[in-house]
Amino acid sequence: MGRTLTWRAREKDVFDRESGKNFKGKVLILDDCYRSIQDQAMKNNVKVKQAEIPDTLAVIGNQSFYHCTGLKNINLGEVAQIRKEAFSGCIRLKEAVFSDKLEILGKSSFAQCKRLEKVELESGRLRKLEAGTFQECESMEKICLPEGMEIIEDRAFYRCVNLKKVVFPAQGLKKIGREAFYWTGMDKVEFPDSLEEIGDSAFLKSKTLEKARIPSSVKKIGKWAFHGCGRLKVLEILGEPEEIGEWIVNKSTTIRCRKGGSVEKYALDSGFAVEYL
């Protein structure tokens, strides 16, 4: 059994880098005097296996647990902000259950957590997923995105190859960024009627995708958005987007759209088969 060490605040209410460097145990338990964990506090600590965070703690700083490759369990208490690369490279972390107070998930905050299976996001305060948030989380199979989320930024779920089901918020989501769902395992996607933009290569190489229906609210479909989705036989486009990029689907995919509209012209000019709504 590893030692269990409880640290007292050294610098006001911050668990700082010096405290992190001095920590030699396997289980980190923080007292309720703490309000934040400093940037890089536990960075590259390969011995820590578990971290217990009090409900008083609101901020987990940049790269605070970066490449803590032994970390298996962490409770996230009432944390409101998890900043850039906070848990990136924690390859043994299996679960992340977030507080309903969560407001910020920083860029690549859980990137390359290859064994991360369970993710619970319920916070209505979270307005966007930053770039690369869950990039290359290869074991994730399902995620429900909370109501109130407006933006999924670039590569948020890039190469989450076993991600089979994504539940989008019923309303409010406006943008899906570049390569956001590149090479995922979904068989269908159901977008909310609020969606306005699907970025370049957003679903590129999602080889199991069979069904996609783009609502009339969408104004832009980026290039290669659904290219490489070999099982996608029909892409339904209900509206008339202002911008459609090149090669949004494979040649084997039929575009289903309104007769006489700009989507029909795009499809015919690009050499795609067309069906009508």
Side-chain angles (χ1 to χ4, degrees), residues 13-14 18 25 34 47 74 99 109 113 115 119 124 159 174 178 187 192 194-195 214 221 225 238 240-241 255 261 268:
D13 53 3
V14 179
E18 183 179 354
Y34 290 102
K47 294 182 178 180
I74 185 165
S99 164
S109 49
C113 292
R115 297 186 189 177
V119 176
R159 294 192 68 153
K174 295 179 180 179
R178 178 178 58 85
D187 60 2
S194 57
L195 187 65
I214 299 177
I221 305 172
L238 301 185
E240 298 291 341
I255 292 179
L268 294 175

Side-chain angles (χ1 to χ4, degrees), residues 41-269:
M42 295 287 290
K43 182 178 180 179
N44 292 328
N45 185 317
V46 298
K47 294 182 178 180
V48 64
K49 292 186 176 181
Q50 182 175 339
E52 295 290 333
I53 291 174
D55 288 345
T56 55
L57 194 130
V59 179
I60 297 177
N62 297 335
Q63 295 190 335
S64 48
F65 290 89
Y66 181 86
H67 277 212
C68 290
T69 55
L71 185 66
K72 294 181 179 180
N73 298 294
I74 185 165
N75 73 303
L76 294 170
E78 298 293 306
V79 173
Q81 299 182 22
I82 299 175
R83 294 183 176 165
K84 180 180 177 181
E85 297 180 338
F87 296 94
S88 180
C90 292
I91 58 174
R92 289 180 173 82
L93 187 65
K94 291 187 175 182
E95 178 177 302
V97 179
F98 300 93
S99 164
D100 60 5
K101 295 182 179 179
L102 185 69
E103 298 175 351
I104 295 174
L105 266 179
K107 181 178 179 181
S108 301
S109 49
F110 286 84
Q112 298 180 340
C113 292
K114 295 183 181 297
R115 297 186 189 177
L116 186 64
E117 298 174 354
K118 182 180 179 181
V119 176
E120 291 188 9
L121 271 172
E122 298 181 358
S123 177
R125 303 182 186 187
L126 188 65
R127 293 290 178 261
K128 67 179 177 179
L129 285 182
E130 300 275 2
T133 305
F134 295 105
Q135 178 173 329
E136 296 180 69
C137 290
E138 297 174 354
S139 298
M140 186 189 302
E141 294 187 0
K142 176 182 177 180
I143 189 165
C144 296
L145 300 176
E147 297 301 320
M149 180 168 289
E150 298 176 355
I151 299 172
I152 300 171
E153 292 200 342
D154 299 349
R155 293 193 166 193
F157 296 95
Y158 177 88
R159 294 192 68 153
C160 291
V161 294
N162 288 301
L163 182 59
K164 295 178 174 64
K165 185 173 183 180
V166 177
V167 180
F168 293 102
Q171 284 293 329
L173 183 66
K174 295 179 180 179
K175 179 181 177 181
I176 296 174
R178 178 178 58 85
E179 297 182 345
F181 293 93
Y182 174 101
W183 203 341
T184 52
M186 290 179 284
D187 60 2
K188 65 178 180 179
V189 288
E190 298 179 5
F191 300 116
D193 290 338
S194 57
L195 187 65
E196 297 178 0
E197 181 177 340
I198 299 172
D200 294 351
S201 305
F203 294 86
L204 181 68
K205 293 188 179 180
S206 292
K207 298 179 182 180
T208 57
L209 187 64
E210 296 179 351
K211 182 179 179 181
R213 189 168 184 259
I214 299 177
S216 58
S217 57
V218 171
K219 300 176 182 178
K220 177 182 177 180
I221 305 172
K223 64 182 180 181
W224 299 78
F226 297 91
H227 197 81
C229 301
R231 295 188 186 178
L232 184 63
K233 301 305 180 186
V234 177
L235 177 65
E236 285 194 0
I237 304 177
L238 301 185
E240 298 291 341
E242 298 170 5
E243 181 180 343
I244 305 177
E246 61 185 12
W247 293 105
I248 60 170
V249 290
N250 290 3
K251 279 284 189 179
S252 59
T253 302
T254 296
I255 292 179
R256 186 175 292 155
C257 61
R258 296 177 184 173
K259 189 175 179 62
S262 59
V263 176
E264 179 194 31
K265 184 178 186 306
Y266 163 84
L268 294 175
D269 288 349

Side-chain angles (χ1 to χ4, degrees), residues 20-32:
K21 288 179 180 179
N22 290 332
F23 178 78
K24 305 301 181 184
K26 294 182 179 180
V27 180
L28 175 68
I29 301 176
L30 298 183
D31 274 351
D32 60 9

